[in-house]
Amino acid sequence: MFSYRHAFHAGNHADVLKHTVLIATLQYLLQKEAALTVLDTHAGAGLYRLDGDYASKSGEAADGILRLAQESELAPVLQAYLAMVRSFNQGTQLRNYPGSPFIIQSLLRVQERDKLKVFELHPTDMRALTGNIAQLQAGRQVAVLHEDGFEGVKKFLPPPSRRALLLCDPSYELKSDYAKVLDMVADSLKRFATGTYAVWYPIIPRPEAHDLPRRLKTMATKAGKSWLNAELTVKSNKTSERGGLPASGMFLINPPYNLKEQLKPAMPQMVQLLGQDENAAFTLESGG
């Protein structure tokens, strides 16, 4: 159950998509004065070394963030993402990669009393996450919870401020994760219908993976909610010599109204910069 470690994949093409969308969404939500509660269901270790044993063994960052870092002409949302990663590094070389907890916390406001709740079950990642978060000296702004994020978010919805962003990006190592995501989003919408829900998912040759965005779309439509789906494919589904994830997506319910327009110039640029074969492509669709 605990074999997955995000440290192997830090800064890969899936992180580029996920964190670009996350930053753009947060920047929009934080324009309003009212406090925002952010829930991160599968936080990982929070901060990663790109030159460490895990990341350097897989080399996935070389085909992700490190390709982006060589470009000077980037779409605004990609510029914001790259600037965020650079803010955790000194000089031009990227050695540190911030996971979603660090990205989120760096954008939250103290005076508006924004809150971040991060969940992690993996015992090793939980120890690393606790230590990394402690370095931020964020005090009560960040709560680290050693529990199942699928269940743990329930007690925080609806939040006191009636404003929330929930990020769900499990490893999907267990096939049951797909059903858990759907159950959690359905339950969350019942508890707090106006929250923004962001689900990352892998696109792999597995029926559950292909069903997930379709079922989320149906769920959002039935609930009368707007939605956005962004998918990035970097190579063929067929197993390549290097292996690795061929594609991933981000599905949002109640997304920022301007997010699709912001992603329009960024998605083809991700295909151009991160594509690994002629199958590289993107999808950007919305509804509601």
Side-chain angles (χ1 to χ4, degrees), residues 2 39 46 110 149 205 231 245 247 262:
F2 289 130
L39 307 172
V110 176
E231 294 184 348
L245 182 70
Q262 287 186 293

Side-chain angles (χ1 to χ4, degrees), residues 188-249:
S188 297
L189 279 171
K190 286 176 188 169
R191 292 172 186 270
F192 187 49
T194 56
T196 296
Y197 300 96
V199 175
W200 176 86
Y201 59 93
I203 301 174
I204 54 176
R206 178 180 268 186
E208 297 85 358
H210 290 276
D211 283 347
L212 184 62
R214 180 180 57 79
R215 293 181 67 179
L216 286 169
K217 200 181 301 181
T218 301
M219 190 186 297
T221 304
K222 282 184 177 176
K225 300 297 177 186
S226 58
W227 58 269
L228 179 145
N229 190 38
E231 294 184 348
L232 174 65
T233 299
V234 298
K235 62 182 178 181
S236 167
N237 250 332
K238 295 171 185 170
T239 306
S240 65
E241 287 179 19
R242 295 187 65 181
L245 182 70
S248 68

Side-chain angles (χ1 to χ4, degrees), residues 2-240:
F2 289 130
S3 62
Y4 177 86
R5 302 294 302 283
H6 191 72
F8 285 109
H9 313 290
N12 71 355
H13 63 86
D15 269 358
V16 173
L17 174 64
K18 175 171 60 181
H19 292 147
T20 296
V21 172
L22 174 64
I23 292 166
T25 300
L26 267 172
Q27 287 177 332
Y28 173 81
L29 293 174
L30 292 169
Q31 288 175 18
K32 290 188 179 178
E33 286 185 14
L36 180 71
T37 296
V38 185
L39 307 172
D40 189 345
T41 64
H42 295 77
L47 188 66
Y48 306 94
R49 290 286 299 200
L50 293 179
D51 56 356
D53 291 344
Y54 292 120
S56 55
K57 184 177 180 180
S58 70
E60 290 184 25
D63 291 325
I65 180 62
L66 297 181
R67 283 198 192 182
L68 232 65
Q70 295 168 17
E71 284 295 315
S72 55
E73 304 274 330
L74 291 172
V77 288
L78 290 175
Q79 287 178 21
Y81 162 67
L82 183 57
M84 171 65 72
V85 177
R86 286 201 187 283
S87 72
F88 288 90
N89 291 270
Q90 294 180 332
T92 55
Q93 193 171 352
L94 299 182
R95 291 187 173 89
N96 301 313
Y97 188 85
S100 49
F102 270 57
I103 288 173
I104 295 163
Q105 194 278 330
S106 71
L107 291 171
L108 294 187
R109 307 157 301 179
V110 176
Q111 63 273 24
E112 275 79 8
R113 300 191 177 181
D114 298 329
K115 300 288 186 186
L116 171 59
K117 317 290 184 186
V118 296
F119 301 84
E120 182 52 53
L121 262 184
H122 194 295
T124 308
D125 278 353
M126 179 61 190
R127 283 194 296 275
L129 178 64
T130 303
N132 287 333
I133 293 289
Q135 292 179 44
L136 294 174
Q137 297 183 327
R140 293 183 179 178
Q141 186 183 53
V142 182
V144 181
L145 301 116
H146 189 196
E147 56 187 273
D148 180 2
F150 287 127
E151 290 295 318
V153 295
K154 292 179 179 179
K155 59 179 170 281
F156 297 111
L157 293 172
S161 65
R162 312 296 295 188
R163 298 186 68 236
L165 167 64
L166 185 153
L167 172 66
C168 180
D169 62 334
S171 68
Y172 297 94
E173 189 182 21
L174 300 174
K175 210 159 58 167
S176 57
D177 279 356
Y178 295 93
K180 285 182 177 180
V181 167
L182 291 164
D183 289 344
M184 183 205 66
V185 173
D187 180 76
S188 297
L189 279 171
K190 286 176 188 169
R191 292 172 186 270
F192 187 49
T194 56
T196 296
Y197 300 96
V199 175
W200 176 86
Y201 59 93
I203 301 174
I204 54 176
R206 178 180 268 186
E208 297 85 358
H210 290 276
D211 283 347
L212 184 62
R214 180 180 57 79
R215 293 181 67 179
L216 286 169
K217 200 181 301 181
T218 301
M219 190 186 297
T221 304
K222 282 184 177 176
K225 300 297 177 186
S226 58
W227 58 269
L228 179 145
N229 190 38
E231 294 184 348
L232 174 65
T233 299
V234 298
K235 62 182 178 181
S236 167
N237 250 332
K238 295 171 185 170
T239 306
S240 65

